[in-house]
Amino acid sequence: MNVLVTSGGTSEKIDSVRGISNISTGRLGSLIAGRFAEEADVDKIYYICSGTAVRPDCGKTQIIPADSVADLESAVRNLLGKTKIDIIIHSMAVSDYRVRAVSSADALALALAQCYDNTGEADIREKLAELIKSHGTDEKSAGKLPSDKDDMLLFMERTPKIIPIFGELSPQSTLVGFKLLDGVPLQALIDRGRQILTQNKCAFVLANDLRDISDTGHIGYLIGKDGGYTRHTSKSEIADAIVCAAVGERRRLI
């Protein structure tokens, strides 16, 4: 069996020295990879992770670095394009947005004034989109932004969703997705996890709430295809449950 584990949190650049990052440490992903290494019929574990993520210290593991969402998508497409993967654990915290452009309140106000002086009535959304494109600074070529500007503005755009790519490129894989919410009722958490499971044809989804995660504890709910779930109360317990469920499902399909 070949296993893919994504772990840690992605980071999106603002300029050459600054970025916006998710807070995921990768500890759970590392434990999951380590637990897979204990399975006799697991041959190889591909561990795609950010540079700051905890990495497993075990055999069978190949580390593939990926810091941004673009890095992650490229690594996933490259791996699945040439390697048969039996189990995919998508535990990485993927940024929902990345920086499209950077500007300042003064620059945008000036550009708006010039725009309306020249054109009169205009569609606000269309004009703002044009101004962002023409007056914002492309973060990829900005270098280091100055530190003496007030009211800096970041214009964000959505990143591509990664989890559908697994179904697109490797539909035969047993896929385990993750869903993290913050401060919601248990039923809302379970319902959202079930949606992720159905929409992405996952075999299982690990649903957890940020308020239940700390350095000393982690509560997670592993949801199966039938909508039922089991509750687990530590990272090691969650890792064990995920590996047992995924390997068991894989063996059942063989």
Side-chain angles (χ1 to χ4, degrees):
M1 270 185 218
N2 290 328
V3 177
L4 165 60
V5 178
T6 69
S7 183
T10 57
S11 177
E12 301 299 325
K13 287 185 177 180
I14 296 173
D15 63 14
S16 58
V17 298
R18 303 178 182 92
I20 299 174
S21 303
N22 279 325
I23 61 175
S24 176
T25 63
R27 284 198 295 267
L28 179 55
S30 177
L31 286 172
I32 292 169
R35 179 63 182 78
F36 269 119
E38 298 173 2
E39 295 291 322
D41 46 359
V42 169
D43 302 303
K44 190 71 173 285
I45 302 157
Y46 297 92
Y47 191 76
I48 301 179
C49 66
S50 59
T52 59
V54 176
R55 301 184 178 196
D57 182 18
C58 56
K60 304 182 182 180
T61 304
Q62 178 180 332
I63 304 297
I64 303 173
D67 286 316
S68 68
V69 177
D71 293 340
L72 174 60
E73 181 177 1
S74 177
V76 167
R77 289 189 179 279
N78 182 58
L79 179 64
L80 296 184
K82 62 184 182 183
T83 306
K84 180 180 180 292
I85 300 295
D86 300 287
I87 297 173
I88 299 171
I89 312 296
H90 186 40
S91 65
M92 196 170 200
V94 180
S95 302
D96 294 315
Y97 294 89
R98 61 189 169 203
V99 177
R100 175 180 175 180
V102 181
S103 188
S104 68
D106 287 344
L108 188 59
L110 177 61
L112 278 169
Q114 292 173 341
C115 174
Y116 282 110
D117 284 344
N118 294 333
T119 63
E121 293 295 325
D123 179 80
I124 297 296
R125 183 182 296 274
E126 182 179 338
K127 286 299 176 184
L128 279 175
E130 292 174 2
L131 289 168
I132 290 168
K133 188 175 294 185
S134 62
H135 293 277
T137 303
D138 183 352
E139 56 88 12
K140 294 182 179 65
S141 60
K144 182 180 182 295
L145 293 167
S147 57
D148 59 350
K149 297 288 186 181
D150 294 326
D151 300 322
M152 292 298 292
L153 305 175
L154 301 182
F155 299 99
M156 313 292 284
E157 64 182 3
R158 288 185 180 180
T159 57
K161 292 295 184 183
I162 299 300
I163 194 167
I165 297 174
F166 299 124
E168 169 196 338
L169 297 181
S170 189
Q172 78 285 349
S173 298
T174 296
L175 175 60
V176 180
F178 277 58
K179 186 59 186 177
L180 175 68
L181 295 178
D182 186 10
V184 301
L186 176 58
Q187 191 58 54
L189 178 64
I190 298 300
D191 288 345
R192 186 68 184 112
R194 288 169 177 159
Q195 288 177 6
I196 297 296
L197 186 145
T198 301
Q199 290 169 357
N200 298 285
K201 298 181 180 179
C202 298
F204 305 93
V205 166
L206 193 282
N208 41 190
D209 193 305
L210 185 61
R211 65 185 174 185
D212 296 327
I213 302 174
S214 67
D215 290 338
T216 58
H218 190 151
I219 298 174
Y221 302 87
L222 188 60
I223 305 170
K225 287 182 180 178
D226 62 356
Y229 63 88
T230 53
R231 182 177 184 269
H232 307 279
T233 57
S234 70
K235 284 181 171 58
S236 60
E237 190 177 315
I238 291 169
D240 189 63
I242 287 173
V243 172
C244 288
V247 170
E249 175 69 7
R250 202 69 206 164
R251 288 171 179 161
R252 186 186 67 79
L253 294 174
I254 295 175

